[in-house]
Amino acid sequence: MLRDQYNRVHNYLRISLTDNCNLRCFYCMPEEDYAFMPAQQLMQQEEILALAKIFVANGVNKIRLTGGEPLVRKDAAAIIRALGALGVSLTITTNATRVHHFIDDFTVAGIRSVNISLDTLQSEKFQLITRRDQFTVVMDNIHLLLSKGFKVKVNVVVVKGLNDGEILDFIEWTKELPIHVRFIEFMPFDGNRWKSDKLVTLQEMIDLIALNYDITAAENDPHDTSKQFHIRNHAGSFAMISTMSAPFCSSCNRIRLTADGKIKNCLFSQEETDLLQALRSGQNVQELIEQSIYHKHKELGGQFSKNFELINANDLHNRSMIAIGG
Ligand code: SAM
Ligand code: SF4
């Protein structure tokens, strides 16, 4: 069991397969030119598997693949299938531009639920946010996954003045389609132009939706980062991920492994532990994992408090989201 100094048990590992991506979402990639990691710096397929096995032997029973865009990696299918054989609950977060190439791999690996990022239901705005013309492919792949029986969760990063006017459109979308929409509060990362006044809070979103729809709060899993809601007479549902205005650190069970093989024990941690180097040089990886988890900060990587109005994004020390693995 991977337990930290605050007695939180960590059984959920998020592995970034690459920091590369075929989209350019402004909130995720730094503004200046971003240099993707050279291939030799990335964990190789067998290294990912070796590290994942150590985590599983220590109680990890859920693995999420992320990135960058995990499905741009050339050996993504082989990695997905190999991790699927570990007997954990395997899931993936993707921008869905390449999902149609991987349906069989998902099925063989036991992936039943796919998280997809989509911040707008308008094609032109999609291009503005991602700087790429892939809206139709993403929509088609959402429908493809639904037709194949996958559970589809759609992640929407809400940014004031950009897509907050579409919150109700997303709710309306769930009327006929069994989609679970997750509205995510905009978070500060290196170079992403975050300002507190661009944040739309959990409470603001709930108030808006409750004015227009008959909603009820659902039971939350103790480790859930999201607050779940049902909407009367809708096939789908929605949730809020309120990292900024109402963080969920006290029940956090998450560990992140970056594409270059470093543990981040928190999304906002400054400290990283290099497991890949340790694995390559024959050091005791297990001990490094235990130490990293044990020393996890009580909340928000020790970098800021719940009072998000006081945050100056330039004072935070972190990688950009694309380099962490969201
Ligand atoms: N490429 C995949 C995708 O877009 O789903 C996986 C990686 S992406 C970094 C993972 C998640 O992080 C996405 O849902 C994305 O919207 C979210 N994300 C990225 N930057 C964010 C930010 N600044 N605030 C909130 N969520 C963010
Ligand atoms: Fe790529 Fe996902 Fe980041 Fe967008 S959010 S740039 S799709 S990694």
Side-chain angles (χ1 to χ4, degrees):
M1 286 267 203
L2 297 169
R3 213 178 271 278
D4 74 4
Q5 57 187 321
Y6 302 103
N7 221 14
R8 293 172 292 198
V9 173
H10 290 70
N11 63 339
Y12 178 13
L13 175 67
R14 301 172 68 103
I15 304 177
S16 172
L17 294 190
T18 175
D19 68 334
N20 208 330
C21 189
N22 53 351
L23 300 185
R24 295 287 181 275
C25 307
F26 73 88
Y27 51 71
C28 177
M29 284 196 122
E31 226 178 350
E32 68 276 12
D33 282 345
Y34 177 78
F36 294 116
M37 293 172 191
Q40 71 275 14
Q41 208 175 308
L42 299 180
M43 293 182 288
Q44 302 304 299
Q45 186 187 326
E46 62 282 5
E47 292 168 334
I48 294 172
L49 199 63
L51 290 175
K53 281 183 180 166
I54 299 174
F55 281 102
V56 171
N58 283 278
V60 163
N61 56 14
K62 179 172 177 183
I63 294 181
R64 175 173 297 280
L65 301 178
T66 181
E69 174 46 42
L71 300 181
V72 300
R73 192 169 157 143
K74 284 198 179 67
D75 53 359
I79 295 170
I80 290 168
R81 286 177 182 242
L83 291 174
L86 293 183
V88 297
S89 159
L90 186 65
T91 52
I92 187 162
T93 301
T94 169
N95 62 28
T97 54
R98 293 180 44 77
V99 154
H100 50 293
H101 299 299
F102 291 89
I103 295 289
D104 289 345
D105 304 303
F106 288 177
T107 305
V108 170
I111 293 179
R112 302 273 168 269
S113 174
V114 180
N115 285 17
I116 291 173
S117 300
L118 177 68
D119 306 308
T120 177
L121 296 170
Q122 301 169 14
S123 171
E124 277 170 29
K125 202 185 286 179
F126 182 94
Q127 197 153 347
L128 183 79
I129 293 171
T130 67
R131 293 177 240 160
R132 295 292 183 273
D133 182 12
Q134 294 281 317
F135 179 75
T136 309
V137 183
V138 172
M139 281 305 221
D140 287 351
N141 277 337
I142 289 176
H143 288 103
L144 176 67
L145 285 167
L146 289 173
S147 73
K148 300 279 183 189
F150 288 89
K151 186 168 180 190
V152 175
K153 299 183 185 176
V154 171
N155 289 347
V156 184
V157 178
V158 181
V159 181
K160 196 169 272 177
L162 179 69
N163 61 351
D164 52 334
E166 287 192 67
I167 291 174
L168 297 179
D169 297 342
F170 274 103
I171 297 294
E172 196 56 30
W173 198 39
T174 65
K175 189 160 192 173
E176 307 297 337
L177 289 179
I179 285 176
H180 183 63
V181 175
R182 301 172 355 131
F183 297 106
I184 305 179
E185 289 181 350
F186 182 28
M187 297 183 275
F189 292 101
D190 193 35
N192 79 351
R193 292 181 275 159
W194 184 91
K195 286 212 179 89
S196 63
D197 61 5
K198 288 191 190 163
L199 188 76
V200 185
T201 65
L202 158 83
Q203 200 53 52
E204 288 170 325
M205 293 194 258
I206 293 176
D207 290 349
L208 172 71
I209 299 169
L211 262 183
N212 293 275
Y213 291 89
D214 186 357
I215 60 170
T216 44
E219 280 281 303
N220 276 322
D221 180 89
H223 296 298
D224 243 338
T225 52
S226 57
K227 297 174 178 61
Q228 319 274 339
F229 293 85
H230 295 303
I231 320 154
R232 193 178 152 85
N233 293 329
H234 280 224
S237 53
F238 76 95
M240 307 286 179
I241 302 184
S242 56
T243 314
M244 302 308 297
S245 73
F248 25 77
C249 304
S250 61
S251 60
C252 184
N253 63 344
R254 289 159 172 71
I255 310 163
R256 288 185 154 77
L257 188 57
T258 63
D260 55 349
K262 302 198 167 98
I263 293 193
K264 277 181 82 79
N265 58 20
C266 168
L267 186 53
F268 298 107
S269 67
Q270 292 181 56
E271 306 82 12
E272 299 182 350
T273 303
D274 193 342
L275 296 190
L276 181 57
Q277 198 47 45
L279 184 75
R280 286 179 179 173
S281 60
Q283 289 174 51
N284 187 337
V285 173
Q286 156 115 13
E287 209 171 280
L288 291 175
I289 295 174
E290 285 169 1
Q291 281 169 11
S292 165
I293 300 302
Y294 185 79
H295 290 109
K296 177 163 172 157
H297 285 275
K298 193 170 180 194
E299 47 185 26
L300 299 165
Q303 291 226 59
F304 53 97
S305 76
K306 284 176 221 174
N307 205 345
F308 65 84
E309 283 96 348
L310 301 179
I311 297 172
N312 178 351
N314 296 327
D315 294 342
L316 300 179
H317 300 281
N318 206 348
R319 303 186 188 206
S320 55
M321 184 63 131
I322 198 152
I324 298 171

